Amino acid sequence: MNYWLFKSEPHVFSFADLKSRRREPWSGVRNYQARNYMRDGMKVGDAALFYHSSCPEPGIAGVMTIASEPIADPTQFNPKDEYFDSKATPEKPIWQLVEVEWVANFVEFVPLENLRSDAALTDMLILRKGNRLSITPVTAAEFRRACKLGGINWKQH
DNA sequence: GCCAACGTTGGC
DNA sequence: GCCAACGTTGGC
């Protein structure tokens, strides 16, 4: 099993939104590296952290799971959609997505500040200077540690 | 709102 | 293929 971290701006789509919807297609990724992680790297059942970015309190809110194989992101075909891509066709899609499913809220939200000050997390990609990728892999150890900071014992899941 | 850092675009 | 200009991200 692989582990991931997904960023989302909570005023657009928050972890609470995912909890109420339960399952959601992760549409709108328009960065090749992030797409490649979804298309080539993810397996159904992988676990992922949900990170809130561009907000008053950035940090990790909880855990979700990869719930589908990669499929073509339908928003790329819709001229009315903000993520429309005129170069994409249903025969030759450019952008893929996976569906994600809510698993568990952290008992305590883990602010970015706490991630930065944790010695076990210094290599997390999200903490690297200049990192802008909306989807990044995390190691199993980083994943467990983040869960622990959030008040969850991941082994019980 | 500022600004550093990065990805993408497009002229050559 | 180079690289300057531009747009975006995201913390502060």
Side-chain angles (χ1 to χ4, degrees):
Chain A
M1 156 147 60
N2 289 318
Y3 297 91
W4 309 93
L5 181 144
F6 285 56
K7 288 186 202 169
S8 185
E9 302 185 16
H11 63 95
V12 178
F13 189 77
S14 70
F15 193 59
D17 293 331
L18 180 63
K19 185 178 183 184
S20 64
R21 300 184 66 111
R22 239 49 187 188
R23 185 176 168 133
E24 186 76 3
W26 202 264
S27 61
V29 169
R30 295 294 180 269
N31 170 283
Y32 289 105
Q33 210 176 336
R35 177 206 65 182
N36 292 349
Y37 285 136
M38 289 196 289
R39 190 187 64 183
D40 309 326
M42 291 185 191
K43 295 271 188 297
V44 172
D46 282 358
L49 302 166
F50 193 113
Y51 178 88
H52 285 172
S53 66
S54 294
C55 56
E57 200 180 20
I60 301 173
V63 176
M64 60 187 184
T65 189
I66 307 307
S68 82
E69 301 291 326
I71 58 163
D73 180 345
T75 62
Q76 71 194 301
F77 308 128
N78 179 0
K80 300 229 166 57
D81 195 282
E82 65 171 311
Y83 294 112
F84 176 63
D85 186 334
S86 60
K87 296 188 291 297
T89 64
E91 294 72 33
K92 282 202 163 187
I94 299 173
W95 306 108
Q96 273 72 33
L97 62 74
V98 295
E99 291 188 4
V100 296
E101 188 174 357
W102 179 87
V103 170
N105 280 48
F106 276 1
V107 176
E108 292 192 69
F109 183 85
V110 181
L112 176 59
E113 206 185 340
N114 295 18
L115 298 172
R116 285 203 190 283
S117 62
D118 195 283
L121 297 179
T122 48
D123 290 333
M124 262 189 109
L125 291 173
I126 189 106
L127 304 179
R128 292 252 181 97
K129 189 176 184 180
N131 169 68
R132 283 168 34 186
L133 264 186
S134 62
I135 297 173
T136 50
V138 301
T139 67
E142 289 165 347
F143 190 90
R144 280 195 303 272
R145 180 63 184 160
C147 286
K148 174 137 193 182
L149 293 176
I152 284 183
N153 182 356
W154 179 247
K155 286 177 191 165
Q156 291 173 347
H157 281 268

